[in-house]
Amino acid sequence: MPKPKKSSGKPPAKPTAPNTSSTSPIPSPFKPAPAELSTFLDTLTSKSHLYIIHLDTHPPAFKRRIFTVPLLLNIFILIILVFRLQRALPTYFYLLLSVLGYDSPANIDKDNTDQWTLLGISGERTLMFAGDFLLFRFVGMWPWDFFLGKGGEASPVGWRRWCRFRDVEVVVRRSRRWDVPLFATERSGEEEDMRGEVEKRDGVKEEWLQEGRQGKLFRERVLPAVDKGWVKSKTSYQMLDQNWDLYFSGMIEAQALVDVGKNEIDDFRTSVLVHSEKSGWLIWEVWREQEEGAGDEGTRKLQLIKNHLTAMGKENLFFRWIEIVQSETSQTGPFTGERQKKAVQKN
């Protein structure tokens, strides 16, 4: 241990607080993600996205009705695809035989067929090929993703089969393609000449984080998605839009952690998660700010009531009302509407 220096007789200089606002690698309103979420964060296979977690408290019956709509729609599309497949397979089989040189109903007698008829047949078959390609390539992917999932991830049906319909459900949303210029930082498979571009994207991402809630993308993409009224008014499947998708694999993993007791359900209250190359996983606990804001709003309303009564020369009435309310709320049992009426009468 170093020896203490002798006093010089001069008063010690006042210590100056370090300016952490400009040197801190973690921008406001983010902070390091808590240890409680470490297991869940390990299940997020991609660090190149922004994630939103929150709790869905809508009644199970309402969730079931909402989920029934896409379920029936995808079943209807699947029936159309199966019907079209049954009608198209014989036609394509005959065309294949014709191409291979075998006798087939699809063969055309070119010598006895005029050019306009040949052109019409060619156009008809071209439209059939193009129509079937678009039908199965694009429309057909809807039921495929809905029932089986995409990219090795869980599907909506798989999520509902595993989680069922609960009173309180964990919802995980993931940013869509708008985040590519900011968050595409994974280097697996990158060529040597692409490293500069990847580092550039890393810099853009860190710059976006430093901007925080004042940034344009933050205001336009993130803040509306975590608005308290929006989150409470929509069940999970109603939140699919052009900016955010539901991450069903993450929802299953989060619910499993709650079921086995590794996490509490409150660990997944409304928050924003993002991975920083410099600081690791960061979290913005939106729920905490919303609760503090609700408390500030209540204090502001009380102050307005007090100011109004003071202007009327009845400030004592305000304090009398506060005493009665405190007395009633300190008693056992809930502060019901009947007790509130009695408190008003006492006043």
Side-chain angles (χ1 to χ4, degrees), residues 49-165:
H49 289 283
L50 194 71
Y51 296 89
I52 295 176
I53 56 176
H54 77 274
L55 300 178
D56 185 353
T57 58
H58 287 83
F62 178 72
K63 297 171 185 173
R64 188 177 291 106
R65 289 197 303 270
I66 295 298
F67 189 75
T68 300
V69 176
L71 177 62
L72 295 178
L73 177 61
N74 280 278
I75 291 176
F76 177 71
I77 295 174
L78 190 60
I79 292 173
I80 294 177
L81 293 173
V82 172
F83 177 77
R84 175 56 192 162
L85 191 62
Q86 290 179 340
R87 296 290 300 272
L89 278 179
T91 303
Y92 284 108
F93 177 71
Y94 294 142
L95 287 173
L96 179 61
L97 290 179
S98 178
V99 170
L100 296 176
Y102 295 99
D103 290 335
S104 166
N107 290 343
I108 301 175
D109 186 0
K110 298 180 181 178
D111 296 332
N112 299 319
T113 305
D114 61 84
Q115 293 184 350
W116 287 107
T117 303
L118 289 175
L119 184 62
I121 294 174
S122 299
E124 180 182 352
R125 291 179 178 180
T126 301
L127 290 176
M128 181 184 68
F129 294 151
D132 287 338
F133 172 78
L134 294 175
L135 179 65
F136 285 92
R137 173 61 181 85
F138 296 102
V139 180
M141 294 305 297
W142 297 349
W144 179 279
D145 294 343
F146 187 78
F147 290 102
L148 300 177
K150 57 182 176 180
E153 297 179 356
S155 66
V157 171
W159 162 59
R160 276 306 178 196
R161 287 183 61 187
W162 197 93
C163 295
R164 305 294 180 182
F165 296 91

Side-chain angles (χ1 to χ4, degrees), residues 137-192:
R137 173 61 181 85
F138 296 102
V139 180
M141 294 305 297
W142 297 349
W144 179 279
D145 294 343
F146 187 78
F147 290 102
L148 300 177
K150 57 182 176 180
E153 297 179 356
S155 66
V157 171
W159 162 59
R160 276 306 178 196
R161 287 183 61 187
W162 197 93
C163 295
R164 305 294 180 182
F165 296 91
R166 308 182 184 220
D167 292 325
V168 181
E169 298 176 352
V170 179
V171 179
V172 182
R173 281 178 284 165
R174 184 173 63 183
S175 52
R176 285 184 181 263
R177 297 293 296 175
W178 60 267
D179 64 4
V180 169
L182 303 177
F183 300 99
T185 60
E186 294 176 348
R187 290 179 167 83
S188 57
E190 294 284 350
E191 299 292 339
E192 186 71 22

Side-chain angles (χ1 to χ4, degrees), residues 124-304:
E124 180 182 352
R125 291 179 178 180
T126 301
L127 290 176
M128 181 184 68
F129 294 151
D132 287 338
F133 172 78
L134 294 175
L135 179 65
F136 285 92
R137 173 61 181 85
F138 296 102
V139 180
M141 294 305 297
W142 297 349
W144 179 279
D145 294 343
F146 187 78
F147 290 102
L148 300 177
K150 57 182 176 180
E153 297 179 356
S155 66
V157 171
W159 162 59
R160 276 306 178 196
R161 287 183 61 187
W162 197 93
C163 295
R164 305 294 180 182
F165 296 91
R166 308 182 184 220
D167 292 325
V168 181
E169 298 176 352
V170 179
V171 179
V172 182
R173 281 178 284 165
R174 184 173 63 183
S175 52
R176 285 184 181 263
R177 297 293 296 175
W178 60 267
D179 64 4
V180 169
L182 303 177
F183 300 99
T185 60
E186 294 176 348
R187 290 179 167 83
S188 57
E190 294 284 350
E191 299 292 339
E192 186 71 22
D193 57 354
M194 290 294 293
R195 290 182 179 176
E197 180 64 23
V198 173
E199 292 176 359
K200 179 180 178 181
R201 290 200 300 264
D202 288 348
V204 174
K205 179 181 179 181
E206 296 298 331
E207 181 180 351
W208 181 87
L209 287 174
Q210 291 295 335
E211 291 178 356
R213 73 185 70 196
Q214 303 301 323
K216 180 180 179 181
L217 285 177
F218 203 97
R219 295 195 311 268
E220 295 180 354
R221 313 275 188 171
V222 180
L223 292 181
V226 296
D227 178 73
K228 189 175 182 180
W230 166 262
V231 172
K232 285 198 171 185
S233 63
K234 302 288 185 180
T235 188
S236 57
Y237 219 83
Q238 293 177 306
M239 293 184 169
L240 294 167
D241 56 24
Q242 71 274 16
N243 294 325
W244 300 93
D245 199 0
L246 291 178
Y247 183 43
F248 298 104
S249 296
M251 293 160 74
I252 293 175
E253 294 289 349
Q255 198 68 60
L257 291 173
V258 173
D259 290 346
V260 299
K262 289 188 177 181
N263 279 102
E264 299 292 335
I265 194 69
D266 285 344
D267 292 341
F268 297 95
R269 284 179 287 184
T270 307
S271 302
V272 179
L273 296 166
V274 62
H275 186 270
S276 169
E277 294 295 320
K278 298 179 180 179
S279 308
W281 281 105
L282 305 177
I283 187 172
W284 171 31
E285 294 179 327
V286 182
W287 65 269
R288 195 180 299 277
E289 293 187 9
Q290 290 175 345
E291 288 186 355
E292 293 174 355
D296 295 341
E297 180 68 15
T299 302
R300 187 182 66 83
K301 290 181 178 179
L302 283 176
Q303 187 63 39
L304 288 175

Side-chain angles (χ1 to χ4, degrees), residues 16-36:
T16 57
N19 184 10
T20 59
S21 60
S22 60
T23 61
S24 175
I26 302 178
S28 176
F30 292 96
K31 67 179 183 179
E36 292 81 5

Side-chain angles (χ1 to χ4, degrees), residues 307-326:
N307 294 340
H308 185 66
L309 291 175
T310 301
M312 296 173 60
K314 298 181 179 181
E315 186 176 6
N316 292 333
L317 180 61
F318 172 78
F319 293 108
R320 172 61 178 163
W321 175 64
I322 293 294
E323 291 176 359
I324 293 175
V325 172
Q326 289 178 343

